[in-house]
Amino acid sequence: MRPFSFISHVVESDDDEEEDGEEGEAVEKTQKKKRKNKKKNKKKKKTGLGAAGQTSPPSIPVSQLFPNNSYSEGQICEYVDDNKYRTTSEEMRAKDRLNEQQLVDLRRAAEVHREVRQYARANIRPGMDLTTIAEMIENGTRALVEERGFESGVGFPTGLSLNHCAAHYTPNAGDFVEIKEDDVLKVDFGVHVNGHIIDSAFTMSWNDRYKPLLDAVKEATNTGVREAGIDVRLGDIGAAIQEVMESYEIELDGKVLPVKPIRNLCGHNIGPYLIHSGKSVPIVANRDQTKMEEGELFAIETFGTTGSGYVQEEGVCSHYAKTSDGQPRLPSAKKLLHSITKNFGTLPFCRRYLDRLGETHYYYGLRHLVDQGIVTAYPPLVDVKGSYTAQSEHTFILRPTVKEVLSRGDDY
């Protein structure tokens, strides 16, 4: 609507029609000029510095680098075959818009993950101890995501598993194991925003002889991500992953060894505040006919090994998660459970996190919660000693219109 209408003036005066007509033309020109000036003076939406504005070590919250929720999309993969119509369907686009806030949360968490891991990958080196590395990653995550309890924070304890240990190792207090030149280190950490979790992992080594092992899991994970989609069967994804993984071999100490998938480890779907939400994505062929569904969030993670291809629990436990709402009998366990529920809910935690909260003398209370089935313990998972394992992982969401690989970055 125009701010001033000269038409009413024209029809009101018949005697001064010519004069009013001239005035009307002059007013219209003035109004057009004003509208043009308004367009010129319109403020541009702030876009921020982006990741290039981050400090080293990372300390600036990503919300400041990406104002107005201007976080980058992940890798966009259009659906094919029977789902090809989704990319241009107006109905699917309308459904997609309903999930806008979830996507903003996930992209924010993914940006934090990329910036923290970029620094970690550039600075982790032999001679560093695992506690220093874990704190570097977790403190960076807390700063960049602006940790606020259940609103935003660390998604789960940082996994730092060496050599034949494939997963679920994070240092407890007093653990100062140092990385050696010939070690193979898996780095697995998560970020959450409003319970929406980004779970992504990579493997590092400082000896080129392990490159085929690292390449195997990276290509296997990319294959799993590529094959995933709405209505795709989980067992079929496992078969594709296995085929790629087993096409690799590695030479160690004069012996040529096959790279094997670790058969009893798998990917998973992710729910709000739940890192494992019910569905498992195998990394070997099986008969699982369960299908992926629209709207689901998945982490495809693959593990390769020079060992047996099977892991078992071994060693001192550090990872835990509340998995039941039972009531413990032991007073110290009741107190500890209150702290766990208040600070973590169903998000995984570790002993270092309890230490950070100021909890002391909690071991027997924690053990009681585990024995009662209220808290689940997740000990380290290891293959045979002397073997080497590697891991690669990405998180993606099956949007109504496209598949978005949220954790994708320039590094992997």
Side-chain angles (χ1 to χ4, degrees):
M1 176 182 282
R2 294 177 179 175
F4 180 84
S5 175
F6 69 90
I7 298 176
S8 59
H9 285 73
V10 173
V11 294
E12 280 176 6
S13 177
D14 293 328
D15 297 332
D16 302 316
E17 183 176 353
E18 191 175 310
E19 185 179 338
D20 285 352
E22 290 175 358
E23 282 184 13
E25 288 179 12
V27 170
E28 184 179 29
K29 287 179 181 178
T30 302
Q31 295 307 317
K32 284 181 178 179
K33 190 173 183 181
K34 284 183 179 179
R35 287 196 296 274
K36 284 182 180 178
N37 288 338
K38 281 186 178 181
K39 288 180 181 178
K40 287 180 182 178
N41 295 331
K42 188 177 180 181
K43 290 184 179 179
K44 291 183 178 180
K45 188 176 179 181
K46 291 183 179 179
T47 56
L49 295 173
Q54 189 54 262
T55 58
S56 181
S59 62
I60 303 174
V62 296
S63 64
Q64 295 179 21
L65 299 176
F66 295 85
N68 305 307
N69 293 327
S70 57
Y71 306 108
S72 302
E73 285 186 330
Q75 178 191 15
I76 300 299
C77 307
E78 294 184 357
Y79 294 124
V80 296
D81 300 330
D82 291 343
N83 284 312
K84 191 174 183 178
Y85 78 96
R86 291 175 169 274
T87 304
T88 56
S89 166
E90 286 301 325
E91 180 187 354
M92 294 300 112
R93 288 178 179 180
K95 291 176 73 174
D96 211 15
R97 287 191 288 272
L98 295 175
N99 301 319
E100 188 174 344
Q101 187 56 54
Q102 180 192 17
L103 288 172
V104 168
D105 291 345
L106 286 166
R107 289 169 185 162
R108 178 181 164 195
E111 185 59 42
V112 171
H113 200 286
R114 279 190 291 271
E115 294 185 22
V116 170
R117 79 186 190 224
Q118 180 182 27
Y119 180 79
R121 286 164 67 87
N123 288 275
I124 295 173
R125 59 190 181 276
M128 293 182 73
D129 66 79
L130 298 184
T131 297
T132 298
I133 296 169
E135 290 178 349
M136 174 179 70
I137 290 171
E138 291 164 358
N139 289 338
T141 298
R142 292 180 180 114
L144 269 58
V145 81
E146 298 169 273
E147 182 182 42
R148 290 192 184 94
F150 294 118
E151 287 184 21
S152 56
V154 172
F156 52 84
T158 301
L160 296 170
S161 305
L162 286 169
N163 303 327
H164 72 293
C165 181
H168 291 176
Y169 188 98
T170 198
N172 288 320
D175 183 341
F176 296 104
V177 172
E178 292 186 356
I179 299 175
K180 298 180 178 63
E181 290 280 351
D182 203 46
D183 282 342
V184 176
L185 174 69
K186 279 72 63 185
V187 182
D188 187 354
F189 72 100
V191 186
H192 90 87
V193 175
N194 292 317
H196 302 302
I197 306 168
I198 292 293
D199 181 3
S200 188
F202 55 92
T203 301
M204 301 183 71
S205 70
W206 295 266
N207 189 327
D208 287 343
R209 70 176 187 156
Y210 299 114
K211 187 176 184 300
L213 178 62
L214 274 60
D215 288 346
V217 293
K218 188 174 180 179
E219 186 181 350
T221 292
N222 285 334
T223 297
V225 171
R226 185 184 67 243
E227 295 296 318
I230 296 170
D231 295 331
V232 175
R233 291 180 173 84
L234 301 180
D236 293 341
I237 297 173
I241 289 171
Q242 181 177 7
E243 182 178 1
V244 169
M245 186 86 73
E246 292 181 345
S247 70
Y248 281 82
E249 57 186 24
I250 182 172
E251 184 176 346
L252 297 176
D253 301 324
K255 294 181 180 179
V256 177
L257 304 171
V259 176
K260 302 174 183 176
I262 299 180
R263 308 179 70 86
N264 59 331
L265 291 180
C266 55
H268 48 91
N269 66 337
I270 303 171
Y273 301 100
L274 287 173
I275 191 61
H276 288 210
S277 188
K279 291 183 180 179
S280 296
V281 186
I283 62 174
V284 293
N286 67 20
R287 297 179 181 178
D288 190 347
Q289 298 297 299
T290 305
K291 293 181 180 180
M292 291 183 165
E293 299 174 67
E294 177 188 306
E296 288 186 312
L297 184 68
F298 277 94
I300 292 282
E301 60 181 322
T302 69
F303 295 84
T305 180
T306 63
S308 68
Y310 191 89
V311 291
Q312 57 186 0
E313 296 178 350
E314 183 181 290
V316 178
C317 187
S318 56
H319 284 59
Y320 301 86
K322 180 186 172 186
T323 51
S324 169
D325 290 325
Q327 287 298 320
R329 296 188 297 271
L330 202 65
S332 62
K334 285 183 180 179
K335 177 178 175 293
L336 181 61
L337 179 60
H338 175 76
S339 180
I340 290 169
T341 303
K342 177 183 176 183
N343 292 284
F344 310 116
T346 53
L347 290 170
F349 62 94
C350 63
R351 293 197 207 174
R352 283 185 296 106
Y353 293 3
L354 295 176
D355 298 336
R356 191 169 180 267
L357 292 172
E359 295 291 338
T360 58
H361 308 295
Y362 55 75
Y363 181 75
Y364 288 107
L366 183 58
R367 179 72 189 192
H368 182 75
L369 293 175
V370 171
D371 291 342
Q372 293 294 306
I374 299 168
V375 167
T376 300
Y378 299 94
L381 298 171
V382 303
D383 202 337
V384 294
K385 286 186 178 180
S387 65
Y388 294 92
T389 60
Q391 176 192 15
S392 176
E393 181 177 23
H394 270 303
T395 296
F396 62 88
I397 186 169
L398 298 175
R399 291 166 51 185
T401 53
V402 292
K403 173 173 59 183
E404 182 173 347
V405 189
L406 296 148
S407 54
R408 183 73 75 192
D410 293 336
D411 51 353
Y412 67 88

